[in-house]
Amino acid sequence: MVSVGERLSSARGRAFIGRDEELVRFGEALAGDPQAPFAFYVFGPGGLGKSTLLRRLADDARAAGRLLIELDGRFVSRDPADFEQAAGPFLDVPGTVLVVDSFEHCQWLESWLWQHFLPRAADDTLVVLAGRLAPQPQWTADPAWDGLLHVTELEPFSEKEARSLLAAAQIRPELRERVLRFAAGNPLALSLAAAGSTGPGSEEIWAPSADVLRTLLAGLIGEVPTVAHRRALEVAAQAHSTSEELLTAVLPEEDTHLLFSWLRDLPFMESTHRGLHPHDAARGTLAADLRWRAPNAFVSMRRRLAEEYLRLLREAPEERVWTVTDELFYLFREVETLARLRTWYREDEVHDRPLHPHDLDVVLRMAEETEGSASAELVRYWAQRQPQAFSVYRLVSTGRIVAFTARLALPAPPDPQDLATDPVVAAAWEHTEATAPVSPGEHIGISRFSIYPERYQVPSRVIDLSSSRAQAESARARGRAYGFAVWRDADAWSVRVKGTLDDTGARPRVGERTYGLFSVDWRKVPVETWLRRFISTTVEPLRSGPSPISRTAFDQAVREALTHWRDAGAFATCALMRARLAADFPDPVEELRVLLRQAVDDLAGDPRGARAREALTAGYFSGAPTQEAAARRLGLPYGTYRRHVRQGLDLLCENLWQQELHGPR
């Protein structure tokens, strides 16, 4: 007869995901490996699965026939004698395994534990401690404990592990991407969101319920001492990064030194040179809870933060001002106008640096690869004329240069040599003469080059950072009359910048390529006014009523539909079926599949899309069992293949989104 405890243990084992290294090391210790640790210390923010891991380790200890003692730090008194009495067999019975959960609640015992209790352990015993706080550094640095102590800081689940959890929970495929974005790999958030997503309902507008948010707040954050502390959390939930100065500016009536110190000590907060920011799951939970609980307060806090960023834009030191613009846009990252133009894409995080002479060969090679030799010669020309206008973007992880941009400042009257050399700059000056001429003492700014070969002229982190710098420079510059932006795909960018920049109609030609020129007259619209309008406007629907799904959800739905293209049954349940595209068809499943295939084939007509079309066809339509197999089929290195797939997906989503808004071409 199987006991209830055995059935529970078996169920936990089947549902357990990840944490392979911890299980292996603990298994070695249970087996008596002399090189295995004696003490295991697991720590991390709430919701990362510490208690779940401890229950699994306890089950393994029972299965190995070990005597098990389980203590909860929340119920341990401050008297070491009480702890010693509760854990008595650990000192007397060989092979005992002591497990202490929620150790942060009895952290005051730590020094006594390392110095007086653990050294008296019986033979072949093991101890596992888990809490939100890291162990005191003197124990991890003590050579006496080297080899005996194994410390693990739990991380969020990888995307693969998170998907496995949702699949095991039988979450409908069309809901998984939304749940994944909300949970950000946090196991508790994933489990709770999954539990609230299994019944029938409106899939496309899924959002965490009040019960889910309440449980997450308790699990991730714990007890919040006062209303002031909660308001400080709400600032941190919306701001990109929170400094003590920012808290003081938006909560002037509070003791912000005390509040900032409290925020900094929270286990789910990370510190950077720009301030504090919460882990993604905690940020999302706090913001969603405030938006649900007090929508007016949510908007009010966002407005306070925006006004503070605008003040800093006027007054901050020069070296900081562009980051202020970036933080302002981050605050409104879900506004549709911004979603068309900017992305907080983190797959390849980059940082920008000034152009150095030894970077020039790489920059010229990138320009020739993406825009041809004529454009590369113009890059050389402007790098000699205005080297300070160039920014080079390197991967944070490796330092490799992946992109560059150039933001030129050109005084009136224009230099005849510039006009004769660069058709784009000549077109910009022609536009000013035809609309509102630039007076002596004034100048124009032009974002002349934006070259990122792996994500060429589609919204990317490089464009985010360059735009922030351009807008910050415009806000600070004296005498700036116009701002110009230059894009290769004029039709796509005219839609993206609608309401923020004007299409001049000019289409200057460089070599074999034509460019679109977009402008704003800063003399008519001050930068602060433009920014306020930019971050608060939404897209006017261009068909009868708005799309039933957001742009972000639409892009994800296209990716999901490609994944299920060869399985008509799975395709019929994908999120793209709820887009307006599907409503246009009498037989939506089959006709949408045909449209998707045709849209991929149409990429071959775009100069940037031939390789992308081949990659998407091999990866999704050819029957290749894996993406690696598709790369081999094309004879491409996997990294090159993935780059073509990313560019193809960007182009495909943009083309289909235009059909979603405007109707079939």
Side-chain angles (χ1 to χ4, degrees), residues 218-300:
L220 295 174
I221 296 158
E223 193 68 29
V224 179
T226 68
V227 172
H229 289 80
R230 181 168 293 282
R231 294 183 73 198
L233 276 174
E234 291 165 353
V235 172
Q238 294 206 57
H240 182 272
S241 57
T242 301
S243 65
E244 188 171 330
E245 289 179 347
L246 182 65
L247 273 185
T248 301
V250 297
L251 301 176
E253 67 278 10
E254 307 292 354
D255 182 351
T256 50
H257 177 72
L258 177 66
L259 294 176
F260 186 79
S261 298
W262 176 77
L263 285 176
R264 185 167 51 190
D265 290 338
L266 293 174
F268 58 83
M269 283 288 179
E270 294 185 2
S271 296
T272 71
H273 67 285
R274 287 161 64 177
L276 306 173
H277 67 87
H279 293 310
D280 288 345
R283 182 193 292 279
T285 300
L286 284 164
D289 175 68
L290 179 60
R291 192 192 289 267
W292 168 81
R293 176 171 46 84
N296 290 333
F298 180 88
V299 172
S300 176

Side-chain angles (χ1 to χ4, degrees), residues 17-75:
I17 290 173
R19 313 309 187 198
D20 294 335
E21 180 184 354
E22 290 74 27
L23 294 180
V24 168
R25 296 301 301 274
F26 188 70
E28 293 169 349
L30 284 176
D33 184 340
Q35 302 302 314
F38 151 70
F40 294 81
Y41 193 111
V42 179
F43 74 98
L48 284 184
K50 298 183 295 296
S51 296
T52 301
L53 175 60
L54 258 62
R55 284 194 293 271
R56 172 61 189 271
L57 298 182
D59 287 341
D60 289 352
R62 287 192 193 91
R66 297 292 194 103
L67 174 63
L68 183 69
I69 302 171
E70 296 179 274
L71 300 179
D72 189 319
R74 292 173 295 178
F75 308 111

Side-chain angles (χ1 to χ4, degrees), residues 60-393:
D60 289 352
R62 287 192 193 91
R66 297 292 194 103
L67 174 63
L68 183 69
I69 302 171
E70 296 179 274
L71 300 179
D72 189 319
R74 292 173 295 178
F75 308 111
V76 171
S77 78
R78 288 185 171 271
D79 187 346
D82 291 340
F83 183 95
E84 186 165 326
Q85 181 178 2
F90 181 76
L91 303 179
D92 303 321
V93 180
T96 298
V97 176
L98 172 63
V99 174
V100 184
D101 198 2
S102 301
F103 188 63
E104 73 274 9
H105 291 282
C106 58
Q107 204 84 29
W108 56 82
L109 291 173
E110 187 172 358
S111 294
W112 170 82
L113 204 68
W114 299 118
Q115 291 179 310
H116 302 290
F117 181 77
L118 295 180
R120 293 186 286 131
D123 293 341
D124 200 26
T125 53
L126 298 173
V127 60
V128 185
L129 308 173
R132 297 191 176 197
L133 306 178
Q136 294 174 354
Q138 57 263 43
W139 311 122
T140 54
D142 187 344
W145 281 97
D146 187 33
L148 293 177
L149 173 63
H150 180 70
V151 177
T152 300
E153 180 178 5
L154 282 195
E155 299 286 343
F157 277 166
S158 67
E159 182 177 346
K160 180 179 179 181
E161 291 169 337
R163 289 186 183 278
S164 296
L165 187 153
L166 296 182
Q170 298 183 328
I171 304 305
R172 292 187 296 279
E174 65 269 20
L175 288 179
R176 291 179 191 172
E177 299 303 326
R178 188 73 182 268
V179 173
L180 285 169
R181 287 196 298 274
F182 167 74
N186 184 283
L188 175 61
L190 283 164
S191 299
L192 289 173
S197 308
T198 53
S202 181
E203 295 91 346
E204 187 53 48
I205 59 171
W206 176 88
S209 69
D211 288 340
V212 166
L213 292 173
R214 186 165 54 249
T215 305
L216 271 176
L217 284 171
L220 295 174
I221 296 158
E223 193 68 29
V224 179
T226 68
V227 172
H229 289 80
R230 181 168 293 282
R231 294 183 73 198
L233 276 174
E234 291 165 353
V235 172
Q238 294 206 57
H240 182 272
S241 57
T242 301
S243 65
E244 188 171 330
E245 289 179 347
L246 182 65
L247 273 185
T248 301
V250 297
L251 301 176
E253 67 278 10
E254 307 292 354
D255 182 351
T256 50
H257 177 72
L258 177 66
L259 294 176
F260 186 79
S261 298
W262 176 77
L263 285 176
R264 185 167 51 190
D265 290 338
L266 293 174
F268 58 83
M269 283 288 179
E270 294 185 2
S271 296
T272 71
H273 67 285
R274 287 161 64 177
L276 306 173
H277 67 87
H279 293 310
D280 288 345
R283 182 193 292 279
T285 300
L286 284 164
D289 175 68
L290 179 60
R291 192 192 289 267
W292 168 81
R293 176 171 46 84
N296 290 333
F298 180 88
V299 172
S300 176
M301 182 64 73
R302 175 174 285 187
R303 191 173 294 125
R304 282 194 189 191
L305 285 165
E307 289 302 319
E308 174 60 13
Y309 290 138
L310 289 171
R311 183 190 68 80
L312 289 171
L313 193 59
R314 295 188 299 271
E315 302 174 11
E318 190 69 33
E319 66 275 6
R320 166 119 201 281
V321 69
W322 74 270
T323 65
V324 173
T325 314
D326 209 37
E327 289 172 344
L328 173 65
F329 288 140
Y330 181 84
L331 192 62
F332 293 87
R333 60 195 178 279
E334 294 177 356
V335 172
E336 185 69 25
T337 308
L338 281 172
R340 290 184 319 214
L341 289 168
R342 297 175 68 95
T343 175
W344 282 265
Y345 186 78
R346 289 292 191 268
E347 182 175 321
D348 293 330
E349 182 59 282
V350 296
H351 60 85
D352 60 340
R353 293 290 184 269
L355 175 72
H356 291 289
H358 57 263
D359 299 328
L360 187 58
D361 287 344
V362 176
V363 162
L364 292 172
R365 194 160 53 245
M366 285 181 174
E368 184 160 5
E369 174 188 340
T370 54
E371 296 190 342
S373 57
S375 184
E377 285 305 310
L378 291 178
V379 170
R380 187 191 301 276
Y381 173 81
W382 288 114
Q384 293 170 348
R385 300 273 280 183
Q386 292 193 26
Q388 74 281 2
F390 283 75
S391 294
V392 172
Y393 297 81

Side-chain angles (χ1 to χ4, degrees), residues 428-596:
W429 282 112
E430 288 172 12
H431 175 75
T432 68
E433 288 299 316
T435 53
V438 181
S439 302
E442 296 179 330
H443 68 278
I444 66 172
I446 178 167
S447 293
R448 177 62 186 88
F449 301 104
S450 179
I451 306 294
Y452 187 2
E454 295 180 17
R455 295 177 62 80
Y456 178 64
Q457 294 215 339
V458 295
S460 68
R461 189 61 182 146
V462 167
I463 290 178
D464 288 354
L465 294 174
S466 182
S467 296
S468 289
R469 281 200 180 274
Q471 283 131 21
E473 289 166 3
S474 298
R476 300 285 285 243
R478 294 190 176 186
R480 177 156 297 187
Y482 281 89
F484 288 94
V486 181
W487 302 110
R488 172 77 175 82
D489 190 343
D491 291 341
W493 280 95
S494 65
V495 175
R496 289 188 182 119
V497 302
K498 181 180 173 62
T500 59
L501 295 175
D502 296 324
D503 187 346
T504 66
R507 297 294 183 265
R509 191 172 181 85
V510 175
E512 298 180 354
R513 293 169 173 80
T514 301
Y515 297 84
L517 188 66
F518 303 88
S519 74
V520 59
D521 187 338
W522 295 124
R523 296 166 300 182
K524 295 180 179 178
V525 184
V527 175
E528 282 194 29
T529 302
W530 182 85
L531 284 170
R532 284 192 175 95
R533 185 176 67 190
F534 187 37
I535 61 183
S536 62
T537 55
T538 55
V539 179
E540 288 296 326
L542 301 177
R543 298 171 70 185
S544 56
S547 171
I549 61 178
S550 69
R551 174 62 196 270
T552 301
F554 181 88
D555 287 1
Q556 187 53 53
V558 171
R559 288 167 166 80
E560 179 197 4
L562 284 172
T563 301
H564 296 305
W565 186 86
R566 297 176 63 245
D567 182 343
F571 190 94
T573 66
C574 71
L576 196 60
M577 296 298 296
R578 285 176 294 285
R580 196 198 319 269
L581 283 174
D584 290 333
F585 298 128
D587 179 8
V589 175
E590 187 54 36
E591 293 186 58
L592 194 58
R593 290 176 75 244
V594 171
L595 172 67
L596 199 61

